[in-house]
Amino acid sequence: MKKFLMATAMGTMAATGAIAAEHEGPVKIGIILGFTGPIESITPGMSDAAQLAISEVNEAGGILDGRMLEAVTADSTCVDAAAATAAAERLVTSDGVAGIMGADCSGVTGAILANVAVPNGMVMISPSATSPGLSTAEDNGQFFRTAPSDARQGEVLANILSDRGVESVAVTYTNNDYGKGLSDSFIASFEEAGGSVTLNSAHEDGKGDYSAEVGALASAGGDVLVVLGYADQGGLGMIRSALDSGAFDTFMMGDGMYATALLDTIGDAMNGSFGAVPWSEGEGTEAFAANAEAAGFDPATSYTRESYDAAALLALAMQAAGSTDPNEYKDSILEVANAPGEQILPGEMEKAIQILSEGGDIDYVGATNVELIGPGEAAGTYLEYTVTDGAFEQQQIR
């Protein structure tokens, strides 16, 4: 199948000078992430990870007989859909990218998908947009993600509480697609397991005072405050206000709260709190960690592994299809991501490209044990952690 696709693409290139010219020069990969906004503390690691994959492809000789990859970055802001759409439009129309690694937060990702990717026939692979609503978005087969849906995360969070014997919680979520989707998923799972939610309340990012929101949650009660927000914005504000007022002293946190900046800001008062974040373990994860450390960035921050895999899948799908045209390589993403084929770990780009150039099959394991299911999203596993001595302490993989 892949050999046939490559042969077809090469024949098309020979047929027209315009297409042949398009297959010369660097292949631009867009990286659109929240370099400003509520997750800006974790974005540098995500960008570094994507660029690590790109550099490894280039060190392996590039794709499609020597074409180098070139990263082009843009700011999604994470929260401003209009700004994110404009930034993505520039990537496609001005910069001429062949694929997009991103976006990050669910709301801006949905906006880019609907307003830029689908109208322009562009492929997107998000490392961190987890809203369940994206599973059914109209995408023409052009949208993928290497992080699991929050439909799964909600179940995991509910199971953690049940295993810890927590029966009653209050919930606060950031007032956007991500927060609402995760809150709905979590509450459905927690109540189905017999748990009680005293109050489910949205919070806005960017406020200086969250005392009113915390007061309402405190009045409702609950053994734990579940915080489904961002570590650089409202989630941080809610926790700080709850601690200052004595309303709550233990918090369960969703994936958007997993950031060392949160612990650096609040300190030991976070001890005993817990949560979950998409995670993986195994040979691929270990290989990525070693390569990331050698490249000078922390492999253990949120969504670094998923970002590396998203960028790698774009390049390998292009090689498998023999084309940088998103409409031609989009169908190859599931092929290179899943069995059958030779397993590919981080740092093995040269091996993968060689196999694909010879018409063979690969099973890209990557940093997250990649397995894409359903509409092109990750099956995924999660790390349960507890904050101990001011640091995240790993408990188990779920």
Side-chain angles (χ1 to χ4, degrees):
M1 175 65 175
K2 294 173 186 172
K3 190 172 184 179
F4 171 77
L5 287 171
M6 290 176 63
T8 302
M10 294 302 290
T12 304
M13 287 170 58
T16 67
I19 294 179
E22 201 275 329
H23 279 247
E24 297 173 356
V27 179
K28 295 182 179 180
I29 304 294
I31 297 175
I32 184 163
L33 299 170
F35 292 96
T36 62
I39 62 167
E40 62 183 26
S41 68
I42 68 172
T43 294
M46 296 170 67
S47 178
D48 287 344
Q51 299 211 43
L52 174 61
I54 288 171
S55 68
E56 289 178 355
V57 169
N58 289 340
E59 289 168 6
I63 61 172
L64 304 175
D65 296 324
R67 295 186 67 188
M68 297 293 109
L69 304 184
E70 179 182 323
V72 183
T73 60
D75 186 7
S76 76
T77 77
C78 178
V79 291
D80 188 334
T85 297
E89 189 72 36
R90 287 193 296 273
L91 285 177
V92 174
T93 60
S94 298
D95 297 313
V97 301
I100 293 177
M101 198 300 294
D104 41 14
C105 299
S106 297
V108 295
T109 298
I112 293 170
L113 177 62
N115 299 322
V116 180
V118 170
N120 289 282
M122 180 56 58
V123 165
M124 296 173 62
I125 305 183
S126 171
S128 58
T130 55
S131 170
L134 290 169
S135 297
T136 55
E138 293 294 331
D139 66 355
N140 291 341
Q142 294 160 204
F143 178 66
F144 305 83
R145 45 184 171 174
T146 50
S149 163
D150 283 333
R152 169 66 179 144
Q153 184 178 176
E155 296 175 355
V156 170
L157 294 175
N159 290 338
I160 290 173
L161 288 171
S162 296
D163 290 350
R164 291 174 181 244
V166 178
E167 299 178 351
S168 174
V169 301
V171 179
T172 180
Y173 64 90
T174 183
N175 192 19
N176 60 22
D177 291 351
Y178 157 68
K180 184 65 166 60
L182 180 51
S183 173
D184 289 346
S185 172
F186 161 70
I187 290 173
S189 295
F190 188 56
E191 290 182 339
E192 184 178 356
S196 172
V197 176
T198 61
L199 180 64
N200 180 36
S201 176
H203 64 259
E204 301 295 337
D205 289 318
K207 293 182 62 176
D209 183 7
Y210 291 92
S211 57
E213 292 89 337
V214 168
L217 291 161
S219 296
D223 300 324
V224 169
L225 178 60
V226 179
V227 183
L228 309 176
Y230 298 125
D232 294 335
Q233 275 286 349
L236 168 63
M238 290 294 294
I239 288 178
R240 177 182 281 154
S241 182
L243 289 169
D244 288 346
S245 65
F248 296 91
D249 59 11
T250 304
F251 308 93
M252 184 177 78
M253 297 171 284
D255 60 313
M257 299 299 295
Y258 188 85
T260 54
L262 174 70
L263 303 186
D264 292 342
T265 300
I266 296 182
D268 290 343
M270 290 298 296
N271 288 344
S273 293
F274 53 92
V277 63
W279 209 262
S280 56
E281 60 183 358
E283 192 176 359
T285 305
E286 293 170 3
F288 167 75
N291 294 345
E293 289 169 358
F297 67 93
D298 183 1
T301 56
S302 295
Y303 296 111
T304 53
R305 295 159 295 278
E306 291 83 359
S307 298
Y308 176 91
D309 286 345
L313 285 173
L314 283 170
L316 295 176
M318 293 176 192
Q319 178 66 45
S323 173
T324 61
D325 183 340
N327 290 307
E328 294 184 11
Y329 75 74
K330 66 181 182 180
D331 292 334
S332 295
I333 292 174
L334 290 176
E335 291 181 22
V336 299
N338 297 337
E342 183 77 16
Q343 292 195 340
I344 301 297
L345 302 179
E348 295 186 337
M349 296 302 178
E350 183 175 6
K351 173 183 175 183
I353 292 167
Q354 180 64 32
I355 291 171
L356 292 172
S357 70
E358 295 172 353
D361 293 334
I362 65 168
D363 174 12
Y364 179 77
V365 174
T368 62
N369 301 316
V370 171
E371 183 72 17
L372 298 187
I373 59 174
E377 59 191 31
T381 54
Y382 288 81
L383 168 68
E384 176 188 351
Y385 64 83
T386 300
V387 180
T388 305
D389 295 330
F392 295 113
E393 180 182 28
Q394 297 187 12
Q395 300 296 308
Q396 63 176 311
I397 299 292
R398 290 178 177 261

